[in-house]
Amino acid sequence: MSSYVELKNVTKVYRMGEVEIHACDGIDFQIEKGEFAIIVGPSGAGKTTVLNILGGMDTATAGEVLVDGVNIAGFNSRKLVKYRRDDIGFVFQFYNLMQNLTALENVELAMQICKDPLDPGKVLEEVGLGDRKGNFPAQLSGGEQQRVAIARALAKNPKLLLCDEPTGALDYVTGKAILKLLQDTCREKGMTVIVITHNTALTPMADRVIHIRNGKVSKMECNETPVPVEAIEW
C-alpha cells in the first residue's frame, strides 16, 4: 500500500542564463496520512522548494509527486489551481492576511474558493480567537495573526496543511503556542501536517522527520513516541 504523500526522485532545476541551480536533486520520501511531519535543514537546502512543489505552487523538473494516490507532477496549470484550491492549506511565516478585512472575513475568504469548507466562526473559536472575530490584523498580535492564518487554512478542510517556518516571525512563547496548535490539530482532526524549519530542536515533536541537505534527503526517521511541544526547549 502506497503512502499518503510520496516523492520519487524529484528534481527541480532553475536556469539562470547558462547556470543551472539544482534546488532539489533527487528527493525521495514518504509521509503517512495523519502524520505530523517536519522537514528540517539549513537555509538553502531546498526545504521551501519541496513544500512549494507539494503545494502546487511550483512544479518539479522531473520525478513523481504523489498525494493521496494522484501524481500531481503531471498536472497542467488549470489542474494545479484546482489542487491548491481544494486540497491544500498554507500557513506562511508572515501570515499574508488581508489588512482591510477582519479576522472572520479573512477566514471567510477561504470558504469562497473551496468545495467543502468548515464554518469560519467555529474554526476561529477552535484556534482560540472566538472573541477576536471582528478585529483587523493591525489590532492583533503576531501570534493572533498567525492563528487567523492557521484558521484560514483549516477552514478549507484540506488534505494537507503545509507550514513554511510558521514560528519564524514570533517570539519563543508565542511560537511554542502556535506549534502546540498545529500538533493538536494533527492529533484531533487526523490531518496530515507538514512543517518546514531550520530548528532541529523541534524534531522530537514530529511523527516523521525528513532531513534535507544540498537538495537531497540526508536522513529520514520516525519517532515512535513524539514529544509534546510543551516539553521541548530551544
Side-chain angles (χ1 to χ4, degrees), residues 23-95:
C24 296
D25 195 14
I27 296 272
D28 291 281
F29 66 74
Q30 306 82 37
I31 296 170
E32 301 301 330
K33 186 175 177 63
E35 281 189 333
F36 189 101
I38 286 181
I39 299 175
V40 65
S43 179
K47 306 184 302 294
T48 297
T49 303
V50 168
L51 201 76
N52 288 344
I53 289 172
L54 255 181
M57 290 201 294
D58 204 348
T59 54
T61 304
E64 294 182 55
V65 182
L66 299 164
V67 179
D68 197 13
V70 178
N71 182 16
I72 67 164
F75 281 8
N76 59 25
S77 59
R78 188 183 184 89
K79 282 187 175 179
L80 279 175
V81 167
K82 187 175 188 306
Y83 168 71
R84 286 195 303 270
R85 187 179 64 207
D86 293 342
D87 296 340
I88 301 298
F90 284 107
V91 179
F92 301 97
Q93 180 173 345
F94 295 109
Y95 327 135

